[in-house]
Amino acid sequence: MLSKLTSCLAMALAIGLPSFTTAFPQPHFPQPHWRSQHRGHGPRKFDLTVTWENRAPNGVSRDMILVNGQSPGPMIEVNEGDDVWVAVHNQMPFNTTMHYHGIEMAGTPWSDGVPGVTQREIPPGGSFVYKWTATQYGEYWYHAHHKGQLDDGQFGPLVIHPRKDRAKPFSLISQDKETIRLIEKAAANIQPLMLSDWRNINSREAFDIELAASTELPCFDSLLINGKGKVDCWPAEKLAKLIKPAQKKLLSIGNLTELTPKGCLPKQIAAIAVAGGFPTNVSNIPDELFNVCTPTEGSEATFEVRQAACDKDGTWAAFEIVGAYTTMKSVFSIDGLPMWIYAVDGEYIEPQKVNAIGVYNGDRFAVLVKISEAGTYTIRHAGNLPIQLITGQATLTYKTNRSFSHGKPKQEVDHSALRYIDDAGTPVSPSVVFYNQTAQKPYPASPVAQKADATYVLTLGNTAGRGYVWAMNGSASPMTLDASEPVLFAPQPGLTNNLTITTQNNTWVDLIFKVEQFPQPAHPIHKHGNKMWMIGSGEGSFNYSSVEEAMRVIPQNFNLVDPPRRDGFTTPDAPRGPTWVAVRYHVTNPGAWFLHCHISTHLEGGMALVIQDAPELFPKVPKEYLSYGAK
């Protein structure tokens, strides 16, 4: 049953994520500012129990991972400055770990959750307590970091409420003090929108097929919002209307003109697009994974916002949009409601007013919407990869005092006619405004060094002669990494090779990611342990030894004044030629940190390496972490 809050001091917003339950004693927190005054009561403690059970989030039953009996898992909600303890109890028949995406883990790298890098795996029946301090603020998420378990539903939202004295950008949205107050209240009650892709087979089954076919399986059955969705089978006429030029070009390779009933490129064409030109055996891919679509009613996430008595001309609501995808990238929008993006990857930016947002794996966007007219609004995310046409949706309902007549609800007005994107993620008119990462500016300003102390040029792509093997720097990270002894426990100062980079403390490091093979998809690259500034990107080969050298030739491709700052950046699409992106970061958080592509099959296929940031200053690993799982 949806809770309905009508106080002016709490946004009247209810969603389908159940309340957090924990076996640890935990005080009741009625308001965020009250929580901030009670930091002296010890660490915030949470229990997460992961189980392997049968569920049907899109109307088709399959085995999946539940966190405290649900997927997505419950929201972890703390305050900036809190000490946090998260106990993960593994009641599944296989090993696991949990990663806290975007959390820098300052001083506690052993709680980052990467097997073979910062910890040993949690075995069946085992428990592991992740202890860390919330040195940041903003919107994050937690998820499995073991094989393909993210694909199976092991993830959930994480919110860190900022200190009361932290500067906020809301005066750039409105100068009116009452409006700013209502915006701040909305932001304090932010609600998660977790966007995910879903197959009707589990990750182990999918990976076995990929090994047999020597290629990935980029065709999905559903897109979910907060773990709910359906299998939606479009008629051939609709698919033909929405098909994009890039898809037509790929189809022409095989003298084909139509997508499959699931809206996918046929498997033989998909293999050409994603296998890097290496040999494949698509006959080992069951036809039903691409060619059979059976519609379901499934379920739909619903959100309700109620007008409070003091909301005279509309109500502000805030959402945390999380790209919990395994492979997909999408376009997100809410019909008829412009969005103010005020934070990206957990940090404030100068707000951007947009109608649609391109969302990649691992992205987080904190957005505000102001709702004035009662009725229903469709929340959409449409797949934006050439490999498949697919959408998912949820419903947002706004109720005002005028929504009722003689105590009975009036018929709700459907605002879907005001949509900004079609089911292919294409804007319906030239006036639709998209989020612009290049124009993203940190708030307050966050200067970047004008020159790097070290540069590493990394070439991304398929390798080893197999379409499912990927490399971050020429060599694939071994599939045995999860079961290896953690790098953190035995650092090797000075070691630098294709799978390891070692840096010095208080230096600035440039990482330049080159995509030389094509066609190749965009790669969402995530670095654990700190945020990075995206200082440049472009098409064509990066034939330079450093950013400094490149800037003398192509200065227009770089920004060292106010570049965007995030914990993940995506390489430009490379459909017809090479592309590159350059990021810069400051080594201030000693530890062993994973750098990897966030597409699950690319990570499983080896597109990762380890960065030893300042190994001479690694914090001493506590005995209980050193000994955990030791043989």
Side-chain angles (χ1 to χ4, degrees), residues 8-11 170 176-187 310-311 316:
C8 292
L9 298 181
M11 289 299 98
F170 302 133
D176 180 72
K177 290 183 179 180
E178 178 60 15
T179 299
I180 293 173
R181 188 183 72 82
L182 294 174
I183 286 174
E184 289 181 343
K185 292 300 179 182
C310 57
D311 295 338
W316 289 90

Side-chain angles (χ1 to χ4, degrees), residues 77-343:
E77 190 172 12
V78 299
N79 294 297
E80 185 177 2
D82 284 347
D83 291 324
V84 183
W85 292 9
V86 183
V88 174
H89 310 289
N90 182 13
Q91 295 184 7
M92 300 188 294
F94 29 72
N95 296 345
T96 193
T97 66
M98 196 76 82
H99 169 60
Y100 307 86
H101 188 113
I103 302 300
E104 61 190 17
M105 294 294 169
T108 57
W110 44 83
S111 288
D112 193 45
V114 183
V117 180
T118 62
Q119 72 165 96
R120 299 185 185 94
E121 301 163 297
I122 309 172
S127 296
F128 189 99
V129 181
Y130 296 92
K131 299 180 181 181
W132 47 277
T133 300
T135 56
Q136 303 152 272
Y137 68 93
E139 295 73 37
Y140 302 90
W141 62 306
Y142 60 88
H143 61 79
H145 221 299
H146 188 274
K147 299 189 184 298
Q149 291 173 354
L150 172 61
D151 308 44
D152 295 321
Q154 188 175 327
F155 58 84
L158 193 165
V159 171
I160 304 174
H161 295 288
R163 299 190 316 266
K164 292 179 69 174
D165 61 350
R166 183 171 288 282
K168 302 176 178 64
F170 302 133
S171 62
L172 300 178
I173 297 175
S174 174
Q175 294 292 312
D176 180 72
K177 290 183 179 180
E178 178 60 15
T179 299
I180 293 173
R181 188 183 72 82
L182 294 174
I183 286 174
E184 289 181 343
K185 292 300 179 182
N189 288 276
I190 193 168
Q191 301 293 339
L193 287 173
M194 304 206 75
L195 314 179
S196 58
D197 42 20
W198 190 254
R199 290 192 187 95
N200 291 341
I201 59 173
N202 66 51
S203 65
R204 290 295 89 201
E205 294 168 329
F207 191 63
D208 287 344
I209 295 169
E210 289 169 0
L211 292 179
S214 196
T215 187
E216 300 171 55
L217 302 177
C219 189
F220 289 83
D221 292 288
S222 303
L223 295 186
L224 310 181
I225 298 180
N226 284 0
K228 294 185 177 183
K230 64 180 180 179
V231 179
D232 193 7
C233 304
W234 298 346
E237 296 78 12
K238 179 175 179 177
L239 290 169
K241 182 179 179 181
L242 292 175
I243 194 168
K244 297 181 178 182
Q247 292 165 325
K248 289 181 179 180
K249 184 169 183 178
L250 286 166
L251 285 168
S252 70
I253 296 173
N255 295 317
L256 301 173
T257 59
E258 294 182 347
L259 300 173
T260 72
K262 284 187 178 180
C264 297
L265 294 174
K267 57 185 180 181
Q268 66 271 27
I269 303 299
I272 294 171
V274 302
F278 293 121
T280 61
N281 188 357
V282 297
S283 63
N284 286 328
I285 301 175
D287 284 342
E288 59 266 24
L289 295 188
F290 280 75
N291 299 330
V292 178
C293 189
T294 304
T296 65
E297 290 188 8
S299 59
E300 184 176 278
T302 58
F303 304 79
E304 185 176 289
V305 177
R306 281 209 171 197
Q307 182 184 30
C310 57
D311 295 338
K312 301 302 181 184
D313 62 344
T315 301
W316 289 90
F319 296 97
E320 174 194 4
I321 301 165
V322 180
Y325 300 115
T326 66
T327 300
M328 193 61 61
K329 67 173 181 174
S330 75
V331 178
F332 175 91
S333 76
I334 306 176
D335 291 354
L337 294 178
M339 298 174 285
W340 282 100
I341 304 174
Y342 67 90

